Amino acid sequence: MTIRVLVADDQEIVRTGLTIILNTQPGIEVVGGAGDGRRAVELARRLRPDVCLFDIRMPGMDGIEATRALAGPTVAEPLAVVVITTFDLDEYVYAALRAGARGFLLKEAGPDLLGQAVRAAANGDALIAPSVTTRLLKAFADTGPAAPRQQPVEPLTDREEQVLVAVARGRTNKEIGDEFHITLSTVKSHVTSLMTKLGVRNRVEVAMWAYETNRIGTRW
């Protein structure tokens, strides 16, 4: 099946470049483009793309608000949003993840990583740019979360702790399965169990929970 993508960036040359790159990827088609967040939200609600690729900084409504409008906790049928930014340490990225984004990339990411991120989001997975995963999430974890993180409703198993750290390191389900020699369905079961126990909505929030509770510092 073709993955339908909506691209939003206030710079036309960037928007055009992303569109060209994505349209050359097998199984991916850009179905719309927007120059600001408000227009992006309107198009997304009308077109219902499989993945929205949003720039952080846009006029009218920025990428954070657009993400919250389409993927926030109050959205009945959230869309998959991937945030893309110029900055490798941008405070707005963390806010976007809290707003419901499934992952983020730098604009310097190559075509392969961009395609991987879109496919991951479409499959309910997430891809966080490996070059900034540790620096970005750890930097904000060090400042302390907006509110104290609740402890799991049930203790995590040893395997769940391992999967938790792997998710926080930006590993995909396939990579986690290969690392621990377990099937893809088993990985998905562990991730689902983690989300339930931690009271979070997606694997990006699983990653943030791991950083905010210092799981990475003790298990890197």
Side-chain angles (χ1 to χ4, degrees), residues 66-81:
T67 298
R68 185 175 294 111
L70 298 172
T74 62
V75 179
E77 297 181 4
L79 293 174
V81 179

Side-chain angles (χ1 to χ4, degrees), residues 1-65:
M1 293 179 62
T2 299
I3 299 172
R4 301 166 64 252
V5 181
L6 172 67
V7 176
D9 193 293
D10 62 334
Q11 297 183 49
E12 184 176 357
I13 191 170
V14 174
R15 195 165 66 247
T16 300
L18 291 171
T19 298
I20 292 173
I21 291 172
L22 289 172
N23 280 336
T24 61
Q25 297 271 341
I28 297 177
E29 178 188 4
V30 175
V31 296
D36 64 78
R38 199 173 304 281
R39 175 62 175 162
V41 170
E42 293 173 356
L43 279 177
R45 286 172 173 167
R46 177 162 59 85
L47 298 175
R48 301 297 298 178
D50 300 303
V51 178
C52 298
L53 185 64
F54 288 171
D55 184 23
I56 277 283
R57 296 179 175 178
M58 295 186 288
M61 176 187 289
D62 63 24
I64 298 170
E65 289 303 315

Side-chain angles (χ1 to χ4, degrees), residues 80-193:
V81 179
V82 173
V83 168
I84 187 165
T85 178
T86 304
F87 309 99
D88 65 351
L89 187 59
D90 188 337
E91 66 273 18
Y92 295 115
V93 175
Y94 190 68
L97 296 179
R98 286 199 175 280
R102 286 192 183 170
F104 67 86
L105 290 175
L106 299 180
K107 288 183 179 178
E108 65 187 29
D112 289 344
L113 194 59
L114 182 61
Q116 288 177 39
V118 168
R119 291 187 180 91
N123 291 327
D125 207 337
L127 189 149
I128 302 174
S131 62
V132 294
T133 298
T134 303
R135 290 204 314 276
L136 181 63
L137 293 182
K138 186 67 168 65
F140 286 103
D142 287 344
T143 66
R149 281 291 186 183
Q150 295 182 350
Q151 292 303 305
V153 294
E154 296 178 30
L156 303 184
T157 66
D158 289 342
R159 179 64 83 192
E160 286 171 346
E161 290 279 3
Q162 292 173 332
V163 172
L164 172 70
V165 172
V167 169
R169 292 170 65 186
R171 301 292 191 265
T172 64
N173 284 351
K174 183 180 184 305
E175 290 170 337
I176 294 172
D178 291 343
E179 180 178 352
F180 299 118
H181 307 289
I182 55 180
T183 65
L184 192 59
S185 61
T186 299
V187 176
K188 291 180 179 178
S189 294
H190 285 313
V191 174
T192 299
S193 179

